[in-house]
Amino acid sequence: MASRLEINFIRLLSRCESIASEKRGEAEWRLEKYVSALEEMMVALRKSVSKPTAELLTEYMRKVDFLKGLLEADKLSSTTEKALANQFLAPGRTPTIANERMPVSKTVHMQTKARCTGEMRDELLGTGLSGKGMSENELRNRRGVPMDERQSAAELEAVLQHHHNLQEKLAEDMLNLARNLKNNSLAAQNIIKQDNQTLSHSMRQADLNFEKLKTESERLEQHTKKSVNWLLWLMLILVSFSFISMILFIRIFPRLR
């Protein structure tokens, strides 16, 4: 179950994304205040006892950073700088609320890129100045070279799209690399665990064999001692019998004179 702080954070985050998706004027100040409040709530969430999982915290931070970057990009004066800044923004990967089919931050990102591209195209074509006292001769002069300007706008849009595709490919490659490293580390961990179990089993078996060998050595030593004792007594008996037999032989058969 999400805590009360997390529920309020999600509501405010959804509101910020909704404001960001709308066309904002220069007098729009709510988004900046709301994003500041989101940063404070994010710090409180990290310190909370019932904080969400690490994956959710990372996703929340990603969305907050995206909104901050969006505000910073809007403050830039040049349209080209805005377009480049928006290219490097990373929107959220999951929906903020349950009824979203697609993350709002991704929609905002696409809208912002489209708006920046349109503004750059207008600057190249000069449509932004047509309603500000431009004379008919100037309009005719601008209409005289529309093809080159359109081609330049198309080339610029293609370059931006190419950079965006490269960034997405790089992010996907890094994700695959991280996934492969994780799988390799898990496999190595399992192998090391199995080797440790095999080594422990071998050590236990070696200890057991050593105990058995020690027991058998003691038994063999005792058996050897018993065998030596019986042999000694047998030799003594044989020697005694031989001595007695020799005495009797001498007594019975005296020496010839």
Side-chain angles (χ1 to χ4, degrees), residues 79-88 109 112-121 124 152-168:
T79 308
T80 306
E81 293 177 354
K82 290 182 180 180
L84 291 176
N86 279 288
Q87 285 292 326
F88 290 102
H109 193 211
T112 306
K113 288 195 298 183
R115 185 172 63 251
C116 291
T117 304
E119 291 178 357
M120 294 176 67
R121 185 184 298 110
L124 289 173
S152 300
E155 291 176 355
L156 179 60
E157 186 175 357
V159 169
L160 293 176
Q161 185 65 32
H162 177 67
H163 284 293
H164 179 67
N165 294 335
L166 287 178
Q167 290 173 7
E168 288 185 350

Side-chain angles (χ1 to χ4, degrees), residues 235-250:
M235 292 296 292
L236 287 174
I237 292 171
L238 289 175
V239 170
S240 300
F241 179 75
S242 299
F243 181 74
I244 294 171
S245 299
M246 187 181 61
I247 296 297
L248 291 175
F249 181 79
I250 293 173

Side-chain angles (χ1 to χ4, degrees), residues 62-75:
R62 184 185 183 93
K63 293 180 179 181
V64 173
D65 290 339
F66 170 75
L67 292 173
K68 287 172 57 181
L70 199 65
L71 290 173
E72 292 174 359
D74 287 341
K75 294 178 181 179

